[in-house]
Amino acid sequence: MSILVLTSDTLIGTPATGNLEYNGQFFGTDSNASRAQMQRITQGTAVASTSGTSIDFTGLPAWCKRITVMFAGVSTSGTSVPMLRLGASGGIESTGYGGSETTCVGVNAGSYTKSISTGFDAAYDWSGPEVIGGQYIVSLIGSNIWVCTWTFGHSNGARMQFGGGTKTLSGTLDRIRLTTANGTDTFDAGTINIMYEG
């Protein structure tokens, strides 16, 4: 058995058939003995969510199988809830989302749930000003079918947001958009970034 150990981001030489390892992390077996076939987690460039009605991350590679969308201190100018939408080469898609979102509020205050259809809502409602942190995780099942789960906490109130849903795209995902449900309220605080992996 041979072990390939990578000590930098650049692979030098051709590995023999065997186990692939990068900085102590096991990646599996190189079955064709021609090159190391592994995908590392790639982080995007953080965007200040301080203006505009939408924030797009484009150029996602075709091999992408999971995307994490991170919010830190994000808020908007009005009462329209932030949401995540997915897109392919034809553009961002705003219909065909299924699932639900729940808000848990206060001690013994109960919870509230609604269904989704036009995007993955970050919150049940959005009375404004709201400030949230958390993340979406979007994963590919196959055949352009994506599932999404999300968890957000409010830093200006005792509330948590949870959700889950699905979306079948018209083609291979290559972009995502953070926007507001009404399309007119703007982002006015915080930072958003993504990570993606194969």
Side-chain angles (χ1 to χ4, degrees):
M1 176 182 293
S2 59
I3 301 294
L4 171 68
V5 179
L6 305 182
T7 57
S8 70
D9 287 346
T10 302
L11 174 63
I12 300 175
T14 302
T17 300
N19 296 326
L20 301 182
E21 186 177 338
Y22 179 83
N23 288 347
Q25 183 176 359
F26 179 68
F27 282 91
T29 300
D30 178 24
S31 59
N32 62 16
S34 62
R35 63 186 178 88
Q37 296 180 348
M38 46 189 179
Q39 300 290 356
R40 298 177 57 199
I41 295 175
T42 302
Q43 187 167 33
T45 301
V47 176
S49 49
T50 54
S51 64
T53 59
S54 65
I55 296 169
D56 288 0
F57 291 90
T58 60
L60 294 170
W63 52 256
C64 180
K65 300 295 188 294
R66 182 165 63 182
I67 307 163
T68 303
V69 185
M70 301 162 285
F71 281 33
V74 173
S75 70
T76 68
S77 63
T79 59
S80 184
V81 62
M83 66 167 49
L84 171 67
R85 287 175 173 160
L86 311 181
S89 60
I92 296 293
E93 300 184 14
S94 59
T95 60
Y97 295 82
S100 60
E101 194 283 328
T102 296
T103 293
C104 296
V105 293
V107 177
N108 299 322
S111 62
Y112 309 90
T113 302
K114 69 174 181 180
S115 60
I116 60 172
S117 60
T118 60
F120 300 124
D121 294 353
Y124 173 85
D125 58 9
W126 196 258
S127 58
E130 305 285 350
V131 182
I132 61 171
Q135 63 186 19
Y136 291 98
I137 298 176
V138 190
S139 303
L140 177 66
I141 290 182
S143 302
N144 297 320
I145 303 171
W146 292 83
V147 298
C148 183
T149 59
W150 59 97
T151 306
F152 291 100
H154 292 249
S155 59
N156 63 332
R159 288 198 293 166
M160 287 292 298
Q161 311 285 346
F162 306 95
T166 64
K167 166 66 176 150
T168 301
L169 283 173
S170 60
T172 302
L173 181 144
D174 67 359
R175 69 198 71 188
I176 64 169
R177 171 173 293 170
L178 287 310
T179 187
T180 53
N182 65 8
T184 57
D185 286 0
T186 60
F187 291 97
D188 61 8
T191 303
I192 297 174
N193 201 359
I194 66 170
M195 295 187 298
Y196 56 90
E197 56 196 294

